[in-house]
mmCIF file with all atom_site columns, all heavy atoms in Angstrom:
data_model
loop_
_atom_site.group_PDB
_atom_site.id
_atom_site.type_symbol
_atom_site.label_atom_id
_atom_site.label_alt_id
_atom_site.label_comp_id
_atom_site.label_asym_id
_atom_site.label_entity_id
_atom_site.label_seq_id
_atom_site.pdbx_PDB_ins_code
_atom_site.Cartn_x
_atom_site.Cartn_y
_atom_site.Cartn_z
_atom_site.occupancy
_atom_site.B_iso_or_equiv
_atom_site.pdbx_formal_charge
_atom_site.auth_seq_id
_atom_site.auth_comp_id
_atom_site.auth_asym_id
_atom_site.auth_atom_id
_atom_site.pdbx_PDB_model_num
ATOM 1   N N   . SER V 1 249 ? -32.182 12.386 17.664 1.00 67.00 ? 249 SER V N   1
ATOM 2   C CA  . SER V 1 249 ? -31.849 12.199 19.073 1.00 67.00 ? 249 SER V CA  1
ATOM 3   C C   . SER V 1 249 ? -32.633 13.153 19.949 1.00 67.00 ? 249 SER V C   1
ATOM 4   O O   . SER V 1 249 ? -32.951 12.826 21.080 1.00 67.00 ? 249 SER V O   1
ATOM 5   C CB  . SER V 1 249 ? -30.343 12.357 19.330 1.00 67.00 ? 249 SER V CB  1
ATOM 6   O OG  . SER V 1 249 ? -29.659 12.640 18.174 1.00 67.00 ? 249 SER V OG  1
ATOM 7   N N   . ALA V 1 250 ? -32.947 14.331 19.433 1.00 68.00 ? 250 ALA V N   1
ATOM 8   C CA  . ALA V 1 250 ? -33.717 15.268 20.243 1.00 68.00 ? 250 ALA V CA  1
ATOM 9   C C   . ALA V 1 250 ? -35.164 14.800 20.365 1.00 68.00 ? 250 ALA V C   1
ATOM 10  O O   . ALA V 1 250 ? -35.792 14.947 21.392 1.00 68.00 ? 250 ALA V O   1
ATOM 11  C CB  . ALA V 1 250 ? -33.660 16.663 19.630 1.00 68.00 ? 250 ALA V CB  1
ATOM 12  N N   . ASN V 1 251 ? -35.666 14.212 19.296 1.00 69.00 ? 251 ASN V N   1
ATOM 13  C CA  . ASN V 1 251 ? -37.080 13.892 19.293 1.00 69.00 ? 251 ASN V CA  1
ATOM 14  C C   . ASN V 1 251 ? -37.353 12.562 18.608 1.00 69.00 ? 251 ASN V C   1
ATOM 15  O O   . ASN V 1 251 ? -37.951 12.513 17.541 1.00 69.00 ? 251 ASN V O   1
ATOM 16  C CB  . ASN V 1 251 ? -37.842 15.028 18.591 1.00 69.00 ? 251 ASN V CB  1
ATOM 17  C CG  . ASN V 1 251 ? -39.340 14.826 18.681 1.00 69.00 ? 251 ASN V CG  1
ATOM 18  O OD1 . ASN V 1 251 ? -39.811 13.931 19.386 1.00 69.00 ? 251 ASN V OD1 1
ATOM 19  N ND2 . ASN V 1 251 ? -40.073 15.633 17.949 1.00 69.00 ? 251 ASN V ND2 1
ATOM 20  N N   . PRO V 1 252 ? -36.905 11.474 19.226 1.00 65.00 ? 252 PRO V N   1
ATOM 21  C CA  . PRO V 1 252 ? -37.081 10.175 18.580 1.00 65.00 ? 252 PRO V CA  1
ATOM 22  C C   . PRO V 1 252 ? -38.555 9.820  18.393 1.00 65.00 ? 252 PRO V C   1
ATOM 23  O O   . PRO V 1 252 ? -38.911 9.171  17.416 1.00 65.00 ? 252 PRO V O   1
ATOM 24  C CB  . PRO V 1 252 ? -36.395 9.191  19.526 1.00 65.00 ? 252 PRO V CB  1
ATOM 25  C CG  . PRO V 1 252 ? -36.006 9.937  20.733 1.00 65.00 ? 252 PRO V CG  1
ATOM 26  C CD  . PRO V 1 252 ? -36.215 11.384 20.503 1.00 65.00 ? 252 PRO V CD  1
ATOM 27  N N   . ASP V 1 253 ? -39.418 10.302 19.329 1.00 68.00 ? 253 ASP V N   1
ATOM 28  C CA  . ASP V 1 253 ? -40.845 10.010 19.188 1.00 68.00 ? 253 ASP V CA  1
ATOM 29  C C   . ASP V 1 253 ? -41.363 10.522 17.868 1.00 68.00 ? 253 ASP V C   1
ATOM 30  O O   . ASP V 1 253 ? -42.129 9.865  17.175 1.00 68.00 ? 253 ASP V O   1
ATOM 31  C CB  . ASP V 1 253 ? -41.640 10.688 20.310 1.00 68.00 ? 253 ASP V CB  1
ATOM 32  C CG  . ASP V 1 253 ? -41.292 10.072 21.648 1.00 68.00 ? 253 ASP V CG  1
ATOM 33  O OD1 . ASP V 1 253 ? -40.864 8.908  21.638 1.00 68.00 ? 253 ASP V OD1 1
ATOM 34  O OD2 . ASP V 1 253 ? -41.420 10.769 22.665 1.00 68.00 ? 253 ASP V OD2 1
ATOM 35  N N   . GLY V 1 254 ? -40.904 11.727 17.540 1.00 66.00 ? 254 GLY V N   1
ATOM 36  C CA  . GLY V 1 254 ? -41.354 12.353 16.307 1.00 66.00 ? 254 GLY V CA  1
ATOM 37  C C   . GLY V 1 254 ? -41.026 11.484 15.113 1.00 66.00 ? 254 GLY V C   1
ATOM 38  O O   . GLY V 1 254 ? -41.892 11.200 14.272 1.00 66.00 ? 254 GLY V O   1
ATOM 39  N N   . LEU V 1 255 ? -39.773 11.032 15.077 1.00 65.00 ? 255 LEU V N   1
ATOM 40  C CA  . LEU V 1 255 ? -39.346 10.212 13.958 1.00 65.00 ? 255 LEU V CA  1
ATOM 41  C C   . LEU V 1 255 ? -40.172 8.932  13.883 1.00 65.00 ? 255 LEU V C   1
ATOM 42  O O   . LEU V 1 255 ? -40.600 8.498  12.817 1.00 65.00 ? 255 LEU V O   1
ATOM 43  C CB  . LEU V 1 255 ? -37.872 9.863  14.117 1.00 65.00 ? 255 LEU V CB  1
ATOM 44  C CG  . LEU V 1 255 ? -37.236 9.198  12.906 1.00 65.00 ? 255 LEU V CG  1
ATOM 45  C CD1 . LEU V 1 255 ? -37.242 10.132 11.726 1.00 65.00 ? 255 LEU V CD1 1
ATOM 46  C CD2 . LEU V 1 255 ? -35.827 8.762  13.240 1.00 65.00 ? 255 LEU V CD2 1
ATOM 47  N N   . GLU V 1 256 ? -40.423 8.393  15.064 1.00 66.00 ? 256 GLU V N   1
ATOM 48  C CA  . GLU V 1 256 ? -41.189 7.152  15.125 1.00 66.00 ? 256 GLU V CA  1
ATOM 49  C C   . GLU V 1 256 ? -42.583 7.366  14.541 1.00 66.00 ? 256 GLU V C   1
ATOM 50  O O   . GLU V 1 256 ? -43.103 6.537  13.798 1.00 66.00 ? 256 GLU V O   1
ATOM 51  C CB  . GLU V 1 256 ? -41.277 6.688  16.580 1.00 66.00 ? 256 GLU V CB  1
ATOM 52  C CG  . GLU V 1 256 ? -41.236 5.190  16.713 1.00 66.00 ? 256 GLU V CG  1
ATOM 53  C CD  . GLU V 1 256 ? -40.542 4.730  17.994 1.00 66.00 ? 256 GLU V CD  1
ATOM 54  O OE1 . GLU V 1 256 ? -39.674 5.463  18.521 1.00 66.00 ? 256 GLU V OE1 1
ATOM 55  O OE2 . GLU V 1 256 ? -40.858 3.647  18.454 1.00 66.00 ? 256 GLU V OE2 1
ATOM 56  N N   . ARG V 1 257 ? -43.167 8.528  14.899 1.00 66.00 ? 257 ARG V N   1
ATOM 57  C CA  . ARG V 1 257 ? -44.519 8.804  14.389 1.00 66.00 ? 257 ARG V CA  1
ATOM 58  C C   . ARG V 1 257 ? -44.510 8.979  12.879 1.00 66.00 ? 257 ARG V C   1
ATOM 59  O O   . ARG V 1 257 ? -45.362 8.461  12.181 1.00 66.00 ? 257 ARG V O   1
ATOM 60  C CB  . ARG V 1 257 ? -45.091 10.037 15.075 1.00 66.00 ? 257 ARG V CB  1
ATOM 61  C CG  . ARG V 1 257 ? -45.929 9.690  16.291 1.00 66.00 ? 257 ARG V CG  1
ATOM 62  C CD  . ARG V 1 257 ? -46.819 10.857 16.688 1.00 66.00 ? 257 ARG V CD  1
ATOM 63  N NE  . ARG V 1 257 ? -46.046 12.058 17.005 1.00 66.00 ? 257 ARG V NE  1
ATOM 64  C CZ  . ARG V 1 257 ? -45.464 12.266 18.200 1.00 66.00 ? 257 ARG V CZ  1
ATOM 65  N NH1 . ARG V 1 257 ? -45.575 11.366 19.154 1.00 66.00 ? 257 ARG V NH1 1
ATOM 66  N NH2 . ARG V 1 257 ? -44.785 13.365 18.424 1.00 66.00 ? 257 ARG V NH2 1
ATOM 67  N N   . VAL V 1 258 ? -43.502 9.716  12.407 1.00 62.00 ? 258 VAL V N   1
ATOM 68  C CA  . VAL V 1 258 ? -43.410 9.923  10.962 1.00 62.00 ? 258 VAL V CA  1
ATOM 69  C C   . VAL V 1 258 ? -43.311 8.583  10.240 1.00 62.00 ? 258 VAL V C   1
ATOM 70  O O   . VAL V 1 258 ? -44.018 8.319  9.273  1.00 62.00 ? 258 VAL V O   1
ATOM 71  C CB  . VAL V 1 258 ? -42.170 10.780 10.610 1.00 62.00 ? 258 VAL V CB  1
ATOM 72  C CG1 . VAL V 1 258 ? -41.963 10.825 9.107  1.00 62.00 ? 258 VAL V CG1 1
ATOM 73  C CG2 . VAL V 1 258 ? -42.334 12.181 11.170 1.00 62.00 ? 258 VAL V CG2 1
ATOM 74  N N   . ALA V 1 259 ? -42.446 7.745  10.783 1.00 60.00 ? 259 ALA V N   1
ATOM 75  C CA  . ALA V 1 259 ? -42.250 6.442  10.154 1.00 60.00 ? 259 ALA V CA  1
ATOM 76  C C   . ALA V 1 259 ? -43.533 5.641  10.165 1.00 60.00 ? 259 ALA V C   1
ATOM 77  O O   . ALA V 1 259 ? -43.884 4.969  9.191  1.00 60.00 ? 259 ALA V O   1
ATOM 78  C CB  . ALA V 1 259 ? -41.145 5.693  10.887 1.00 60.00 ? 259 ALA V CB  1
ATOM 79  N N   . GLU V 1 260 ? -44.256 5.745  11.255 1.00 61.00 ? 260 GLU V N   1
ATOM 80  C CA  . GLU V 1 260 ? -45.501 5.008  11.373 1.00 61.00 ? 260 GLU V CA  1
ATOM 81  C C   . GLU V 1 260 ? -46.486 5.480  10.310 1.00 61.00 ? 260 GLU V C   1
ATOM 82  O O   . GLU V 1 260 ? -47.151 4.687  9.665  1.00 61.00 ? 260 GLU V O   1
ATOM 83  C CB  . GLU V 1 260 ? -46.084 5.228  12.768 1.00 61.00 ? 260 GLU V CB  1
ATOM 84  C CG  . GLU V 1 260 ? -46.749 4.010  13.322 1.00 61.00 ? 260 GLU V CG  1
ATOM 85  C CD  . GLU V 1 260 ? -46.709 4.025  14.849 1.00 61.00 ? 260 GLU V CD  1
ATOM 86  O OE1 . GLU V 1 260 ? -45.940 4.816  15.429 1.00 61.00 ? 260 GLU V OE1 1
ATOM 87  O OE2 . GLU V 1 260 ? -47.465 3.261  15.428 1.00 61.00 ? 260 GLU V OE2 1
ATOM 88  N N   . LYS V 1 261 ? -46.543 6.800  10.150 1.00 59.00 ? 261 LYS V N   1
ATOM 89  C CA  . LYS V 1 261 ? -47.428 7.376  9.143  1.00 59.00 ? 261 LYS V CA  1
ATOM 90  C C   . LYS V 1 261 ? -47.070 6.847  7.772  1.00 59.00 ? 261 LYS V C   1
ATOM 91  O O   . LYS V 1 261 ? -47.907 6.477  6.972  1.00 59.00 ? 261 LYS V O   1
ATOM 92  C CB  . LYS V 1 261 ? -47.277 8.900  9.149  1.00 59.00 ? 261 LYS V CB  1
ATOM 93  C CG  . LYS V 1 261 ? -48.103 9.576  10.201 1.00 59.00 ? 261 LYS V CG  1
ATOM 94  C CD  . LYS V 1 261 ? -48.977 10.676 9.565  1.00 59.00 ? 261 LYS V CD  1
ATOM 95  C CE  . LYS V 1 261 ? -49.931 11.257 10.590 1.00 59.00 ? 261 LYS V CE  1
ATOM 96  N NZ  . LYS V 1 261 ? -49.214 12.131 11.560 1.00 59.00 ? 261 LYS V NZ  1
ATOM 97  N N   . LEU V 1 262 ? -45.769 6.874  7.480  1.00 54.00 ? 262 LEU V N   1
ATOM 98  C CA  . LEU V 1 262 ? -45.324 6.442  6.157  1.00 54.00 ? 262 LEU V CA  1
ATOM 99  C C   . LEU V 1 262 ? -45.517 4.951  5.967  1.00 54.00 ? 262 LEU V C   1
ATOM 100 O O   . LEU V 1 262 ? -45.408 4.442  4.867  1.00 54.00 ? 262 LEU V O   1
ATOM 101 C CB  . LEU V 1 262 ? -43.853 6.787  5.949  1.00 54.00 ? 262 LEU V CB  1
ATOM 102 C CG  . LEU V 1 262 ? -43.568 8.281  5.845  1.00 54.00 ? 262 LEU V CG  1
ATOM 103 C CD1 . LEU V 1 262 ? -42.081 8.524  5.726  1.00 54.00 ? 262 LEU V CD1 1
ATOM 104 C CD2 . LEU V 1 262 ? -44.315 8.890  4.664  1.00 54.00 ? 262 LEU V CD2 1
ATOM 105 N N   . GLY V 1 263 ? -45.751 4.254  7.066  1.00 48.00 ? 263 GLY V N   1
ATOM 106 C CA  . GLY V 1 263 ? -46.095 2.843  6.930  1.00 48.00 ? 263 GLY V CA  1
ATOM 107 C C   . GLY V 1 263 ? -44.917 1.904  7.012  1.00 48.00 ? 263 GLY V C   1
ATOM 108 O O   . GLY V 1 263 ? -45.088 0.711  7.177  1.00 48.00 ? 263 GLY V O   1
ATOM 109 N N   . PHE V 1 264 ? -43.704 2.428  6.906  1.00 47.00 ? 264 PHE V N   1
ATOM 110 C CA  . PHE V 1 264 ? -42.645 1.431  6.878  1.00 47.00 ? 264 PHE V CA  1
ATOM 111 C C   . PHE V 1 264 ? -42.182 1.010  8.251  1.00 47.00 ? 264 PHE V C   1
ATOM 112 O O   . PHE V 1 264 ? -41.319 0.171  8.395  1.00 47.00 ? 264 PHE V O   1
ATOM 113 C CB  . PHE V 1 264 ? -41.479 1.842  5.969  1.00 47.00 ? 264 PHE V CB  1
ATOM 114 C CG  . PHE V 1 264 ? -40.645 2.997  6.444  1.00 47.00 ? 264 PHE V CG  1
ATOM 115 C CD1 . PHE V 1 264 ? -39.854 2.924  7.589  1.00 47.00 ? 264 PHE V CD1 1
ATOM 116 C CD2 . PHE V 1 264 ? -40.638 4.163  5.706  1.00 47.00 ? 264 PHE V CD2 1
ATOM 117 C CE1 . PHE V 1 264 ? -39.089 3.978  7.984  1.00 47.00 ? 264 PHE V CE1 1
ATOM 118 C CE2 . PHE V 1 264 ? -39.856 5.217  6.105  1.00 47.00 ? 264 PHE V CE2 1
ATOM 119 C CZ  . PHE V 1 264 ? -39.091 5.135  7.247  1.00 47.00 ? 264 PHE V CZ  1
ATOM 120 N N   . ILE V 1 265 ? -42.800 1.584  9.243  1.00 46.00 ? 265 ILE V N   1
ATOM 121 C CA  . ILE V 1 265 ? -42.367 1.129  10.556 1.00 46.00 ? 265 ILE V CA  1
ATOM 122 C C   . ILE V 1 265 ? -42.766 -0.312 10.775 1.00 46.00 ? 265 ILE V C   1
ATOM 123 O O   . ILE V 1 265 ? -42.071 -1.079 11.418 1.00 46.00 ? 265 ILE V O   1
ATOM 124 C CB  . ILE V 1 265 ? -42.949 2.017  11.666 1.00 46.00 ? 265 ILE V CB  1
ATOM 125 C CG1 . ILE V 1 265 ? -42.207 1.687  12.961 1.00 46.00 ? 265 ILE V CG1 1
ATOM 126 C CG2 . ILE V 1 265 ? -44.440 1.800  11.837 1.00 46.00 ? 265 ILE V CG2 1
ATOM 127 C CD1 . ILE V 1 265 ? -42.244 2.779  13.943 1.00 46.00 ? 265 ILE V CD1 1
#
Side-chain angles (χ1 to χ4, degrees):
Chain V
S249 0
N251 186 8
D253 293 335
L255 189 64
E256 216 147 333
R257 266 198 301 278
V258 172
E260 217 153 345
K261 277 233 173 73
L262 292 177
F264 69 66
I265 193 156

